[in-house]
Amino acid sequence: KAGVTQTPRYLIKTRGQQVTLSCSPISGHRSVSWYQQTPGQGLQFLFEYFSETQRNKGNFPGRFSGRQFSNSRSEMNVSTLELGDSALYLCASSLGQFNRAEAFFGQGTRLTVV
Amino acid sequence: DAKTTQPPSMDCAEGRAANLPCNHSTISGNEYVYWYRQIHSQGPQYIIHGLKNNETNEMASLIITEDRKSSTLILPHATLRDTAVYYCIVRVAGGANSKLTFGKGITLSVRP
């Protein structure tokens, strides 16, 4: 079955702009989580959505937001981009049910802010 | 989630077993041990997880000590494609929280 699909794979934006990244989870998975990966900070949790509701949030400013649709697809948005937002953004999907919490990651979206 | 400690790097010869250690001395009774790996520029890949019994799947084996304070991921016959950063994560499985807290991981280099 198809894996986690993230689009676009690469993106270049200018400081101050906003960006929207998309994630399609594995069919049947209801939980989608987002992570930011940078060389300095490593992999950091942004937020998680389950059944269209945000149920967990990491320590990121309000410029980072997300949503989940009824088909479990998710988008994350970053407004007023800063140079430090350059990173690999990873999406992970899981069933979200007890004892089946292994997460499956997409290939990521590499965002470069110039 | 309990904190884990891994050495920064290790290497092994192709075809030999790779034994990757992880310490999690503050693990709670309801926390599982998960292993993921990340090959350069790709998303992390789930490998295996366990609670207290040893686990094996097509990718690896997970050995958890009886006191659950440490574990070892075993790749029985390492190949060059197993070169990656391996993350040991301890967390409660399922429930209302799917968050994974990644540390720095251990970089495994498989040499020819």
Side-chain angles (χ1 to χ4, degrees):
Chain A
K1 63 184 178 185
V4 179
T5 303
Q6 290 190 247
T7 56
R9 289 293 310 280
Y10 302 92
L11 205 51
I12 300 176
K13 289 286 190 179
T14 304
R15 269 183 304 175
Q17 286 186 312
Q18 66 130 23
V19 67
T20 299
L21 312 181
S22 179
C23 172
S24 293
I26 292 172
S27 177
H29 284 194
R30 296 166 62 193
S31 169
V32 174
S33 298
W34 289 89
Y35 293 80
Q36 180 197 66
Q37 186 171 29
T38 60
Q41 299 298 319
L43 272 156
Q44 292 187 288
F45 173 79
L46 279 157
F47 29 64
E48 179 204 358
Y49 287 86
F50 180 79
S51 293
E52 302 179 66
T53 302
Q54 185 183 90
R55 67 177 184 182
N56 207 353
K57 188 178 189 305
N59 189 27
F60 278 80
R63 300 185 297 107
F64 292 82
S65 63
R67 60 177 175 168
Q68 187 180 33
F69 302 96
S70 58
N71 61 358
S72 294
R73 190 177 72 84
S74 177
E75 290 181 345
M76 69 162 281
N77 183 278
V78 188
S79 63
T80 319
L81 283 166
E82 301 176 0
L83 295 179
D85 297 332
S86 294
L88 180 66
Y89 289 88
L90 292 156
C91 164
S93 82
S94 65
L95 283 169
Q97 296 170 355
F98 185 69
N99 280 339
R100 295 299 304 275
E102 54 265 39
F104 298 88
F105 285 79
Q107 294 284 66
T109 294
R110 170 106 23 217
L111 171 66
T112 301
V113 182
V114 298
Chain B
D1 293 342
K3 183 178 177 180
T4 62
T5 305
Q6 301 176 258
S9 64
M10 65 175 291
D11 64 16
C12 75
E14 190 177 20
R16 304 299 295 267
N19 299 299
L20 287 72
C22 180
N23 286 319
H24 31 79
S25 59
T26 60
I27 192 169
S28 300
N30 63 345
E31 289 182 314
Y32 286 67
V33 180
Y34 285 79
W35 282 83
Y36 286 78
R37 74 179 182 184
Q38 187 174 26
I39 297 170
H40 183 62
S41 296
Q42 297 183 21
Q45 176 189 23
Y46 166 80
I47 301 173
I48 198 168
H49 75 282
L51 182 62
K52 55 182 178 181
N53 297 319
N54 298 338
E55 302 287 345
T56 296
N57 63 21
E58 65 279 3
M59 288 184 67
S61 294
L62 174 60
I63 309 298
I64 303 173
T65 57
E66 192 169 341
D67 64 7
R68 303 207 325 121
K69 292 182 184 297
S70 66
S71 60
T72 301
L73 178 75
I74 301 173
L75 307 179
H77 306 287
T79 70
L80 298 178
R81 290 188 296 179
D82 291 322
T83 292
V85 179
Y86 288 76
Y87 297 98
C88 170
I89 298 167
V90 173
R91 60 175 293 266
V92 176
N97 184 355
S98 293
K99 173 184 175 182
L100 295 168
T101 301
F102 289 85
K104 296 186 185 303
I106 176 173
T107 298
L108 172 67
S109 300
V110 180
R111 61 180 186 276

